[in-house]
Amino acid sequence: VTAADVREVFELRLLLEVPAAAHAAAHADAASVATITGELDRMREHADADDETRFTEHDRALHQAVAGVMGNPRLQAEIATLRDSIQSRGASTIRRSRGMVELAREHAPIVEAIATRDPQAAAAHMEAHLIRTATLLMEQVSVDGVDAVDPQWSGLLRDHLYVPGRSATPQTPPQ
């Protein structure tokens, strides 16, 4: 895994998962909220038990449940494929740049925003989580003197992401 691989994968994940989190906050039914909350609870349990394998399974399930609210199996499949393209090659922040407890804490505001029906907060917290994860992974895999990880790597993408409350349509039509 190279720093470029990580960046490319997480740019795509940002494009998919940030709007999916906003959608989940706006449209999740009680059962979906319970599933998402339950996955966070399982993550916490397995973090406390120091069980990385089970923790990672529930981390994946949480992201799948958030995306699942949209009712688009292709979305879920693409997110899973993107995750696998990095994780299956051994790249992970767990035990390298952060612990499972810290990672579970990072998911909590996403889940809370979905549970309280706050699309803007859900999008913002998902965005922050993905950017942090990507930045940590890029720093881990970068080669000194070859790769430079720009801390603002996501800036151009973030400036153009659609998020609730900010229209993707220009305010004035082009002349």
Side-chain angles (χ1 to χ4, degrees):
V1 178
T2 67
D5 291 333
V6 172
R7 180 180 177 152
E8 290 168 5
V9 163
F10 276 85
E11 285 174 341
L12 291 168
R13 286 188 66 188
L14 283 162
L15 289 169
L16 298 173
E17 291 190 73
V18 170
H23 179 85
H27 300 285
D29 59 20
S32 295
V33 171
T35 297
I36 293 165
T37 302
E39 292 302 341
L40 177 60
D41 291 342
R42 302 300 85 70
M43 286 173 66
R44 289 174 171 149
E45 289 171 14
H46 294 296
D48 290 342
D50 198 34
D51 185 341
E52 184 176 348
T53 301
R54 299 284 299 172
F55 176 89
T56 302
E57 289 171 6
H58 291 284
D59 179 6
R60 173 182 294 275
L62 186 148
H63 282 265
Q64 288 295 295
V66 170
V69 173
M70 194 166 277
N72 183 334
R74 285 185 186 219
L75 173 66
Q76 290 175 288
E78 290 304 322
I79 291 168
T81 298
L82 290 166
R83 287 178 65 107
D84 288 345
S85 72
I86 297 296
Q87 290 179 338
S88 67
R89 295 187 285 171
S92 174
T93 61
I94 297 172
R95 300 187 201 279
R96 294 171 182 95
S97 51
R98 63 183 167 187
M100 290 180 280
V101 171
E102 179 183 354
L103 189 51
R105 273 193 216 118
E106 206 170 287
H107 285 79
I110 300 166
V111 173
E112 178 67 21
I114 292 168
T116 60
R117 310 287 188 211
D118 187 341
Q120 285 186 296
H125 291 299
M126 180 64 81
E127 180 182 73
H129 163 59
L130 293 173
I131 289 169
R132 176 161 163 66
T133 300
T135 302
L136 290 171
L137 283 170
M138 284 189 284
E139 289 170 351
Q140 280 176 209
V141 302
S142 65
V143 177
D144 286 339
V146 175
D147 297 314
V149 179
D150 178 1
Q152 300 301 317
W153 69 270
S154 62
L156 290 175
L157 179 63
R158 290 175 60 224
D159 290 345
H160 299 285
L161 272 180
Y162 171 75
V163 294
R166 187 173 76 198
S167 176
T169 307
Q171 295 301 317
T172 55
Q175 306 263 337

